[in-house]
Amino acid sequence: MRFGPILTPEAEGAILAHSQPLASGKLPKGHRLQTADLVRLKAEGVTTVIACRLEPGDLMEDEAADRLSAAIEPRGLTRSPASTGRVNFYASANGLFRANRTLVDRFNAVDPAITLACLADRRDVRAGDLVATVKIIPLAVAGARVAEAAALLQEVVIAFEVAPYCRHRVHLVATHLPSLKPSVMDKTTRVLEARLAPSASRLASEHRVPHRADAVADAIRASLNDRAVVEDGPPLIVVFGASAVADADDVIPSAIRLAGGVVDQVGLPVDPGNLLVLGHVGDVPVIGAPGCARSPKENGFDWVLNGILAGQPPDRMEMAGWGVGGLLMEIPSRPLPRLSATKDVDPAAFGLVVLAAGRASRMGEGGRHKLLAEFEGEPLVRRSVRQAIEAGVGAVTVITGHRSGEVAEALAGFAVEVLENEHFLTGMASSLKAGLASVEAKGLPGMMVLLADMPNVSSADIAALASAYGKSGGKAIVRAVSDGQRGNPVILPAATFEALKTLEGDIGARPVIESAGLAVIDVEIGPAARLDVDTPEAILAAGGILKD
């Protein structure tokens, strides 16, 4: 392919590298120029175009992408038609994404113009998730290079696939000690059921026994004696100990051996999830779950469990290789799909947090408090909180700080939680984190952040944001905008919570929004999204009356 500027009179048959705007209508990128196009270009004074000409054997981007994607056996996958040199692959079922890294690396080394990107190996995916994409970078590529890359894809059985989850009947054995509350064991059951839901597996039985090897062994035997129909799937036993495993001869490993089984692994190079036990009794897997598996957050237990549910249980050699990438730090791009398992909570539910703690330093030394200024006879903070309440979309928490007593008094009679942020002088981040703590304590998987000094944000605006968030299933960030310019309020899903906790100083959630890697849905609410009142002049201009 020859690429570069071409004089318009000589450009017939060339392919546009960039779209060409014209008063008579745009010529799109990838368009092959015809005589009529050249007439239009000349009439509008376009003397040169950036375009390419194919050489013998070259393939256009879509044809190249199609040929490469056709070389990939679609196991557990569907694919999109080629467009702009790209073919996307999607999971056709809930399952475990598997990728052959060596092959993908070799593929990408053939030619920088030919690329394949996919999820990390052993990623848990849902039907419809994007898992891989083939992309041709230029408008055309040498056909010989495409053939070379396609041949690599056909050397092995799979380049990547989704191994679908299979239904299992799962038996839970949980040990107890006086120090372990029954409510903790109840939560453990709910979280496990949520983990099993994508595979349509069911909890067939639950045994709660003393934290002794003999008692656990008896419960394992009882689970093995369960009689079930074939449709319920193969059995799997999960053991939660009241105390962490400290040795290969501790309670859970000893119990597996007492029940006639074999202990395959004690310990895992994944954190959280180090203290996992894996064994089997006959052909029935037994997982000794680490304590962190009582939480819905991703940990090493998920990696082992998902492999078993997908019919690809990990062996010792594979687990030994999990150390690189095994430090599972909480990052914004890692959603928490099971967070709602701790309660019966809609994944799109959220709490509303009204930030009302700032010093209002721009009001001047010893100045009046902006949040106590009256709008239509009502203190601004009361007006803002009332709108949040009247929207009727969730529980409201107000974070106070500067002159907290007066602010709280202005909210008298409202059914809201008022929390004083003792660290408000350090900046907005501390108030955000205080509000987040309240939301998490309620078990809610999302948080709407409102600023108390925005007088024109209405209950209808808040409801519109909530509606957009609900349509996303609680998976996107939702932000109010004014004429396309970002503003407030904003709704933040659970996937951002850990990043919010790292904020320091006088900053809001913007850096988290920009780095989260989540979809951002903008909801137009007009000028209210950007009107806050930080000065006496702004308050008066917005129709407020200053009060002491």
Side-chain angles (χ1 to χ4, degrees), residues 257-401:
R257 288 189 287 265
L258 281 173
V262 174
V263 176
D264 300 306
Q265 180 96 358
V266 178
L268 203 63
V270 181
D271 189 8
N274 292 135
L275 304 181
L276 179 138
V277 177
L278 180 61
H280 62 277
V281 181
D283 59 357
V284 178
V286 181
I287 307 175
C292 60
R294 297 185 189 276
S295 163
K297 296 179 181 179
E298 183 184 12
N299 60 79
F301 175 71
D302 293 292
W303 294 19
V304 173
L305 175 67
N306 291 340
I308 293 171
L309 294 176
Q312 299 195 6
D315 58 25
R316 292 192 66 176
M317 185 60 69
E318 182 176 6
M319 289 185 285
W322 288 353
V324 175
L327 182 58
L328 302 181
M329 300 175 66
E330 290 302 330
I331 55 176
S333 62
R334 179 177 295 120
L336 306 180
R338 295 177 297 270
L339 186 65
S340 61
T342 57
K343 290 186 177 182
D344 294 327
V345 176
D346 181 346
F350 59 86
L352 294 83
V353 174
V354 182
L355 303 185
R359 287 188 303 164
S361 58
R362 294 175 64 190
M363 294 293 290
E365 283 296 326
R368 298 161 176 171
H369 199 320
K370 63 179 179 179
L371 297 184
L372 300 178
E374 290 189 355
F375 286 75
E376 299 178 338
E378 184 178 31
L380 175 55
V381 66
R382 187 176 182 88
R383 175 190 180 98
S384 298
V385 173
R386 177 173 56 79
Q387 297 295 342
I389 296 169
E390 291 179 354
V393 295
V396 179
T397 300
V398 184
I399 307 300
T400 66

Side-chain angles (χ1 to χ4, degrees), residues 465 479-489 521-527 529-530:
L465 292 165
R479 176 175 60 193
V481 298
S482 173
D483 195 23
Q485 293 183 293
R486 60 193 176 201
N488 284 289
I521 299 172
D522 288 336
V523 176
E524 179 66 49
I525 67 170
R530 293 178 59 82

Side-chain angles (χ1 to χ4, degrees), residues 40-56:
R40 292 173 58 198
L41 290 165
K42 182 179 178 181
E44 298 198 25
V46 179
T47 58
T48 62
V49 293
I50 305 298
C52 68
R53 292 189 186 278
L54 299 188
E55 295 181 306

Side-chain angles (χ1 to χ4, degrees), residues 183 186-195 341-344:
S183 60
D186 294 340
K187 174 187 172 183
T188 299
T189 302
R190 292 195 300 270
V191 170
L192 178 59
E193 288 176 328
R195 278 190 163 94
T342 57
K343 290 186 177 182
D344 294 327

Side-chain angles (χ1 to χ4, degrees), residues 68 86 102 134-135 156 192 197 199 221 267-268 279 281 293 307-308 342 350 357 384 403 406 430 483 500 512 528:
L68 292 168
R86 182 185 301 278
T102 300
V134 171
K135 171 64 178 171
V156 298
L192 178 59
S199 64
R221 293 189 194 98
L268 203 63
V281 181
I308 293 171
T342 57
F350 59 86
S384 298
R403 294 169 64 175
E406 296 167 79
S430 63
D483 195 23
L500 291 172
V512 173

